[in-house]
Amino acid sequence: MDGNKILVLDDVSVRYRKQDSRSTSDIVKRILGKSPRNNEFWALKNVSFSLERGDMLGVIGKNGAGKSTMMKAISGTLTPASGTIEKTGKICALLELGTGFDREMTVKENVYLRGAFMGYSKEFIDSKYDEIIDFAEMREFQNSPFRTLSSGMKSRIAFAIASMIEPDIIILDEIFAVGDGDFRKKSQQKMQSIIDNGDTTALMVSHSLQSVRAQCNKVLWLDKGRMVMFGDPNTVCDAYAEYLNTGKLPQTESLAATQENPRNRLKKNTGKRLAEAAVYLMLLLVIIAGCFVWSQYDLLKSYVLAQSLTVEQIENEAANYHRQIDRLLEVDTTRWDTGIFKEGALDIINEEATYTDVAKEVLLQAGDLSRDQYKKALAAAEIEAIKYSHMARLDALVAQMRTEFEAQPEGKYRSLMVYAYTNCDRFYDLEEDCENDMQKVIEEIRTFQRKAGQSEDLADRVWNAYKSEKTYLLSYYCVKLR
Amino acid sequence: MTSDKANHRFLLSELIRRDFIKKYKRTTFGILWSALSPLFLLLTMDVVFGTFFGRNMPHYTIYLFCGLLLFNYFSAATRSAMRVLYDNAQIYSKVPVPKHYFLISQSVAQAIDFAVSLLVFFIFVAIDGINFHWRFLYLLFPMVCLYFINFGIGMFLSTLYIFFRDINYLWPVVTRIIMYASAIFYDPSILPGIMRRLLNCNPLYMCVDYFRQLIIHSTVPSLSTHLIMIVMAAICALLGWFTYHITRDKIALYV
């Protein structure tokens, strides 16, 4: 920026939306491509001008010409859709007097808050506070909530802040239309003294050509968002006065430079913004990717661990822990879901997986385990596998026996065996009444063997197996008895 | 011109003061509500759920309080953050000020609120006969994580609220789901395996569990837990910042 240029607008366009809120059906239509983007409205089109320190710019134009929009864009509360605004120093914008305050807070708190918003330090506002409150003639109201003030009072305090804290650029949007006569006079005088000082650049919106001619050294004429003329107050004001009479816009250079749809122009801001957004998006993606890897970390860890051991080693380790397994199961399954062992065991029986696979699952299930815990889990898995492999074999056997039984109804002992097996779980639980059942079964076996002329020690062996809770031995004898 | 950094700090402190004052403006008990409201909720839930879940769990009141304390912070912070950009629109659409200052100040005001209820929490911990230990300093870690989680989600919601008011009705539902998915009043070991794994994807549950492990069992969670929590907090914060960042120019047009 040039040394003296304090405010430079370069090809600034501002876009508004016509409708207030869009409904869900609008969004769906947009996504489906059935609705054109006709919801937009260019409040400002390709406006370019620059001001130097001490300039006083008057902005004229009919209602809805984009005057206030331009002021908002300069103050920074609106971001232009395209073009750039370069400004130096602090800006104080009096857009609509008495707005932009917190209704619930007191006047004093609002003064400090407004000062803070404008980027001033606490010390600076401390030093200016008395001046502000006295200028606004509000000392007795300084501790009342802002919402209790009248609109005139709100305007006074707003103007007092703006004029006392000496901004580099001051924006006045038709502010002298409010306030009582005395205060208006006082504020106009204050304004004049600020401008005469020559340090502050001011932009004012006014419908009074008289005051524009008197106070401003540059004038901008806007019409429907387009820049009609910019320059010497008398020239522009004369042209404007003529337009008000005839209703014909003069054909000026700046008007010709305006486009119907300014979006086609280069958007410096948007490019930069998109680049920044892309960086954030990438960061987000990296983190999500990191998360994914992390969530698979346990699997990777157990995989590496499993690769470093041979099947024999694993089986040996499992055997070592075999003896302690009851205690271990008691201790550790509180943390682990035994269901996973069962599933794993069934996988092993179906020869679709190895112990290592089960262990991997266990690791996944239990979260991060130490190597020691891993071994324990492995052993536990193996025990479950042994238990359930017998169960599964028995299941198959029972199915087979039942089929045979139906084919040969005369084989009564077979039904007993089926009975023995199907009650296996109960036998294993060693319940009292089960013992009676088992004794009956043993008796049947003895009778059968006597008839068949076989030795009777099988019945004893079955009984022993039952007594020592060896379910799978029991099932083995069931098979043998066939 | 004076140093900008100091002035920004002044702006932030003014905003935080404002948010905090406004929260309890025109109440009789004022800041005491920060302590009282979780207390009432705790007592109610303790009476109701204590009979179900408290029987075979030592320090059930503290167990419950850990969950309630953090969940309350989460729900209050996100709920109030959701409205920040909307409520302050009348200010930032008239006075040029970066909009995220309002979000930051709101989050800090909520954190102060949380700190007050934390004091009550520690009083309960002392009453329950749990010895204080230097390891309790570790609690700062989940608190910081939760701050960033709340900040990020709050920012996300606040931005979304500008464009879709539906969030106002949707978020309480989501909050309720998160509440049940944080094992606040029950023991997660009653859940089937897959549900327990899902529980670990809930950043709020991670924080709650961290509190419980440290205070009730006085064990420090593993390094991987810490890392996961950092990543979760970073995701939330970035998500919020990202959403805000791509839409911040449009916000002024929608409010």
Side-chain angles (χ1 to χ4, degrees), chain A residues 270-286, chain B residues 238 242 245-246:
Chain A
T270 317
K272 195 181 153 207
R273 177 86 3 114
L274 276 177
E276 283 175 22
V279 170
Y280 281 114
L281 188 64
M282 268 159 64
L283 211 57
L284 198 63
L285 284 177
V286 165
Chain B
L238 265 176
F242 177 68
H245 198 85
I246 54 173

Side-chain angles (χ1 to χ4, degrees), chain A residues 97 155 173-180 184 188:
Chain A
L97 269 185
S155 315
D173 194 348
E174 297 180 61
I175 57 156
F176 298 120
V178 287
D180 56 32
R184 202 184 308 170
Q188 261 165 348

Side-chain angles (χ1 to χ4, degrees), chain A residues 74-114:
Chain A
I74 292 170
S75 77
T77 57
L78 270 185
T79 315
S82 73
T84 53
I85 298 172
E86 289 178 61
K87 53 204 174 189
T88 29
K90 289 199 164 35
I91 285 197
C92 179
L94 294 174
L95 293 172
E96 288 153 52
L97 269 185
T99 57
F101 290 98
D102 195 312
R103 286 167 44 79
E104 290 295 323
M105 310 299 283
T106 66
V107 172
K108 187 173 182 177
E109 285 163 333
N110 263 307
V111 170
Y112 275 85
L113 202 58
R114 177 58 74 90

Side-chain angles (χ1 to χ4, degrees), chain A residues 11 48 91 103 201 244 273 316 341 389 414 416 434 443:
Chain A
D11 201 27
S48 310
I91 285 197
R103 286 167 44 79
T201 308
L244 288 179
R273 177 86 3 114
N316 284 341
F341 296 128
S389 71
R414 284 196 183 114
L416 284 169
C434 287
E443 275 310 306

Side-chain angles (χ1 to χ4, degrees), chain A residues 277-302:
Chain A
V279 170
Y280 281 114
L281 188 64
M282 268 159 64
L283 211 57
L284 198 63
L285 284 177
V286 165
I287 287 187
I288 290 173
C291 272
F292 180 72
V293 171
W294 182 256
S295 70
Q296 301 300 312
Y297 173 78
D298 287 330
L299 184 65
L300 288 173
K301 194 169 75 174
S302 63

Side-chain angles (χ1 to χ4, degrees), chain A residues 12-147:
Chain A
V12 172
S13 304
V14 176
R15 189 175 57 206
Y16 270 122
R17 298 171 326 120
K18 274 186 210 159
Q19 283 165 23
D20 186 35
S21 67
R22 48 183 175 186
S23 64
T24 319
S25 61
D26 285 346
I27 298 169
V28 172
K29 273 182 199 160
R30 169 83 60 82
I31 292 167
L32 294 175
K34 286 190 177 164
S35 162
R37 285 176 66 127
N38 58 0
N39 195 16
E40 58 190 41
F41 161 72
W42 292 91
L44 212 58
K45 295 174 185 170
N46 309 102
V47 172
S48 310
F49 67 88
S50 63
L51 294 179
E52 289 164 13
R53 189 171 286 278
D55 273 349
M56 174 84 186
L57 176 78
V59 183
I60 53 173
K62 290 173 125 182
N63 283 335
K67 304 185 292 289
S68 295
T69 303
M70 189 182 79
M71 294 310 193
K72 279 184 180 172
I74 292 170
S75 77
T77 57
L78 270 185
T79 315
S82 73
T84 53
I85 298 172
E86 289 178 61
K87 53 204 174 189
T88 29
K90 289 199 164 35
I91 285 197
C92 179
L94 294 174
L95 293 172
E96 288 153 52
L97 269 185
T99 57
F101 290 98
D102 195 312
R103 286 167 44 79
E104 290 295 323
M105 310 299 283
T106 66
V107 172
K108 187 173 182 177
E109 285 163 333
N110 263 307
V111 170
Y112 275 85
L113 202 58
R114 177 58 74 90
F117 281 149
M118 285 192 282
Y120 289 102
S121 65
K122 183 171 166 34
E123 293 73 30
F124 183 81
I125 303 167
D126 280 339
S127 69
K128 291 282 177 185
Y129 180 73
D130 285 332
E131 221 179 308
I132 291 170
I133 212 78
D134 286 338
F135 185 83
E137 300 158 22
M138 302 265 293
R139 189 162 283 282
E140 56 190 307
F141 296 109
Q142 60 175 332
N143 287 322
S144 10
F146 208 77
R147 68 191 147 77

